[in-house]
Amino acid sequence: DALPISARRRGSIAASVEWVADSAVDHCEQCSASFGLITRKHHCRKCGHIFCSKCTGYKAVLPPQFGSTEPQRVCQNCYQELQSSRVNLQEFVLDAQYYLRSVPFSLKSQNVLLMGSRSPPEKCYFHVEESDHELEMFMVLTKAGDSCVLPTNSSSGRRVISTILTQMQHPYIYPCVRADFIQEKNTIAVIRPACTKGSLKDLIYKARDSKLPCAEKYREAGAPLPEKQIALFGRQILEALLFMEKKHMPYFDLHTGNIMYNRHANTVMLSDFENSLLAIEPNFKDILPANVDPLVGAFVRVLYEMATGNELNDAELPASIPCAQSVSKILTTLHASSSLGIKEVVAMPFFAQVKLREEPPTWRYDSDCKKVLKRVKKAIDDPSQVSSLQSKSKSKKSKKASDGQTATSSSSAPAAAPEAPPAP
C-alpha cells in the first residue's frame, strides 16, 4: 500500500523510493502525535515515511540518485544521516587536496562531483587543472576492492601499478595522464583529460552538462543512435577490448557511462579500466545473461542502449526489440550464444565492414607489469586464490623490511627510509 514518489511528486524528485500511503498512518512515526485538521501529515523526501511538520522541519540536499539539487523536507534521522555524509565528502576533499600538493595539479572546485554511477566512498570525482598550462582535467579517487591483489605494499609495486595505467594508450581507450596508489587510504588517484562531451551515455540521453548527477542527466528516455554510428562505435569498442585482451589487461566494467565520446574525431574510448585492476565488480553483474561470456553480455547491454535509447535492466531481451532489424538480429544472436567471444563478435559483417582510420599502437609492457597483470588474472580466474595472493604480497614486504634492517646493522651508512605517504 505504498505509493511511488514519482507518482506523488511531479518533476522535482525522480527517485524510486516509495512513500507510505496516507491512509496507512494516523500518527507521527517520530513523536506519535495524532494527525487531524491541525496536525497534518508530511512525507520525508528521503525515506518516504510520514511525520508531523515539527518532525520533518529539516531541509537537506538529497543524494544524486534522487535527481534534485535543491534542499528537500526530511525527517530527523535522514537529516542526521545526510549531514554525516556531507562530513565524509569533506574528508575526501581534504584527501584530494593533500594528494595534489605533491603533483603539478590543483583543484579547480572544492566540490566532489557526483556525476558517476558510483557514489563516495567508492568513487569520488574532482575537477582539477594542470598548474602550468591550466588544462582542464578530471581526477577520480577509487577505493580498492576487498579482493584486490595489486602489490600496493611497496613503492616499487605502486610504481608498476602507475605504469600499467598510464602506458595503456590506444585510439579507443581514454588515457590517464597520471595514476598514483595512496597506500594509507587504500585508494588510487587517476587523472584524465576532461572530455567536454562526456560519455556515450551522455550522448544517448542528450545530457546538457556531463558533470550533473546521473539521476538528473538521465531522467528522460534517451534517443537511439543512427545505425551507421552504432556499427562504428561498436567496432571501436570491440577493437579496444581486443587490444586490452592482448595486453592481458582485465576489463569487465563495460557500460555506456564508462565509454567517453569524442565528437570531433567521432570516436568512443573505454575509460575507468582501473576498476578491474582494483577488483571492483560491475553494478550490472547480476543481470547479465546466463551462459554467455560476461564481456559479450556487457557488450549486449551497450549495443541495446545505443540501438533503443534505453538501458537493458534485465537478463533477458524483450520479445520485440524496438530497433533496426540488423541490430536486433545481432542482439538476439549474442544473447543466445555461449560460444561467442569478442573475437567472434568483431568478425560479424555488421562490425567487420566498418573502415577504421586509426592505427593500433605497438608498445609493450615490461616484465614487471606483465607479472602484476598475470597475478590479477589468476585472481579473476580463480577467486579462491585471492587470500594467498594477498598474503604473498604482505610477506614479500616483510622480507624486504627485514633485509633492510640487516643491511643497516652491518653498514656504517644509514639506510634510506622506506617510501610511505604520511596521513593527512
Side-chain angles (χ1 to χ4, degrees):
D1 66 340
L3 191 62
I5 197 168
S6 57
R8 289 294 307 269
R9 190 155 180 88
R10 290 176 292 180
S12 62
I13 301 178
S16 59
V17 63
E18 293 186 343
W19 280 14
V20 174
D22 288 339
S23 59
V25 177
D26 57 11
H27 62 272
C28 173
E29 296 185 43
Q30 177 76 27
C31 68
S32 299
S34 297
F35 294 124
L37 291 176
I38 297 177
T39 305
R40 306 298 297 272
K41 299 176 181 180
H42 297 273
H43 283 85
C44 169
R45 269 56 172 174
K46 183 176 186 295
C47 67
H49 288 256
I50 297 176
F51 304 89
C52 66
S53 60
K54 181 180 178 181
C55 293
T56 52
Y58 303 88
K59 292 277 189 176
V61 176
L62 301 180
Q65 61 266 28
F66 284 77
S68 172
T69 57
E70 298 297 321
Q72 301 291 331
R73 178 190 290 270
V74 294
C75 66
Q76 184 180 17
N77 288 339
C78 288
Y79 177 79
Q80 292 174 344
E81 179 185 319
L82 290 166
Q83 288 300 102
S84 175
S85 175
R86 285 185 62 190
V87 172
N88 290 338
L89 288 181
Q90 185 59 34
E91 290 179 4
F92 294 123
V93 173
L94 293 174
D95 289 344
Q97 289 175 329
Y98 184 82
Y99 163 70
L100 291 171
R101 285 168 52 188
S102 60
V103 298
F105 296 91
S106 59
L107 284 180
K108 193 170 183 179
S109 167
Q110 299 294 316
N111 297 323
V112 177
L113 299 174
L114 303 173
M115 60 183 186
S117 58
R118 299 181 188 272
S119 302
E122 197 174 19
K123 267 184 181 286
C124 292
Y125 294 87
F126 295 91
H127 205 182
V128 300
E129 60 185 0
E130 194 171 10
S131 303
D132 295 336
H133 307 290
E134 295 186 356
L135 295 176
E136 189 177 4
M137 304 273 183
F138 282 121
M139 178 178 74
V140 58
L141 300 181
T142 307
K143 286 274 186 186
D146 294 336
S147 300
C148 178
V149 297
L150 292 174
T152 61
N153 291 318
S154 67
S155 58
S156 59
R158 293 192 292 274
R159 280 195 292 271
V160 172
I161 297 169
S162 176
T163 300
I164 289 173
L165 292 173
T166 55
Q167 195 174 334
M168 179 50 68
Q169 303 284 327
H170 187 277
Y172 311 131
I173 296 176
Y174 203 53
C176 57
V177 297
R178 189 177 183 99
D180 296 292
F181 195 90
I182 307 169
Q183 185 184 8
E184 291 190 358
K185 297 295 181 180
N186 196 32
T187 295
I188 197 163
V190 175
I191 298 177
R192 291 184 169 93
C195 189
T196 55
K197 289 301 178 181
S199 66
L200 177 58
K201 198 177 193 75
D202 291 330
L203 174 66
I204 294 170
Y205 289 85
K206 302 186 184 304
R208 68 180 189 277
D209 185 350
S210 62
K211 296 187 289 296
L212 291 174
C214 289
E216 191 168 341
K217 290 192 293 184
Y218 312 136
R219 184 179 299 179
E220 305 296 333
L225 300 183
E227 190 173 343
K228 286 186 177 180
Q229 198 169 32
I230 293 173
L232 174 63
F233 289 171
R235 174 68 184 276
Q236 292 172 352
I237 292 167
L238 292 167
E239 289 293 335
L241 293 173
L242 283 175
F243 184 80
M244 284 187 163
E245 185 178 283
K246 181 180 178 181
K247 298 299 180 184
H248 305 289
M249 168 71 86
Y251 189 80
F252 40 73
D253 201 7
L254 176 67
H255 60 86
T256 55
N258 274 354
I259 303 171
M260 297 298 106
Y261 171 55
N262 185 333
R263 182 173 66 86
H264 298 293
N266 198 28
T267 58
V268 291
M269 298 164 284
L270 304 190
S271 185
D272 287 36
F273 41 86
E274 65 271 18
N275 290 0
S276 301
L277 289 177
L278 295 170
I280 297 176
E281 295 184 335
N283 293 328
F284 53 82
K285 66 168 187 167
D286 295 329
I287 56 173
L288 291 176
N291 303 319
V292 174
D293 181 294
L295 199 52
V296 173
F299 180 73
V300 165
R301 296 183 75 251
V302 171
L303 192 61
Y304 182 93
E305 196 167 353
M306 286 196 291
T308 67
N310 292 286
E311 289 184 350
L312 179 61
N313 290 319
D314 197 287
E316 299 300 323
L317 290 171
S320 177
I321 305 174
C323 67
Q325 186 176 359
S326 58
V327 182
S328 177
K329 185 176 180 181
I330 292 172
L331 287 168
T332 305
T333 301
L334 297 180
H335 190 272
S337 176
S338 59
S339 60
L340 294 178
I342 295 300
K343 289 181 180 178
E344 288 74 28
V345 179
V346 78
M348 289 180 163
F350 183 78
F351 301 112
Q353 52 83 27
V354 174
K355 304 295 183 183
L356 298 177
R357 296 174 297 175
E358 299 80 10
E359 293 290 331
T362 57
W363 57 264
R364 296 181 180 180
Y365 279 131
D366 62 25
S367 58
D368 290 334
C369 292
K370 290 178 180 178
K371 286 178 184 176
V372 170
L373 290 171
K374 184 178 180 180
R375 172 180 179 162
V376 172
K377 187 178 187 305
K378 187 181 292 185
I380 293 172
D381 292 342
D382 185 4
S384 66
Q385 295 195 45
V386 168
S387 295
S388 63
L389 289 169
Q390 290 174 336
S391 298
K392 286 179 182 178
S393 176
K394 292 177 182 178
S395 64
K396 284 181 180 179
K397 183 194 177 188
S398 300
K399 185 178 185 304
K400 286 183 179 180
S402 175
D403 291 344
Q405 290 173 359
T406 303
T408 302
S409 62
S410 62
S411 172
S412 58
E419 178 186 340

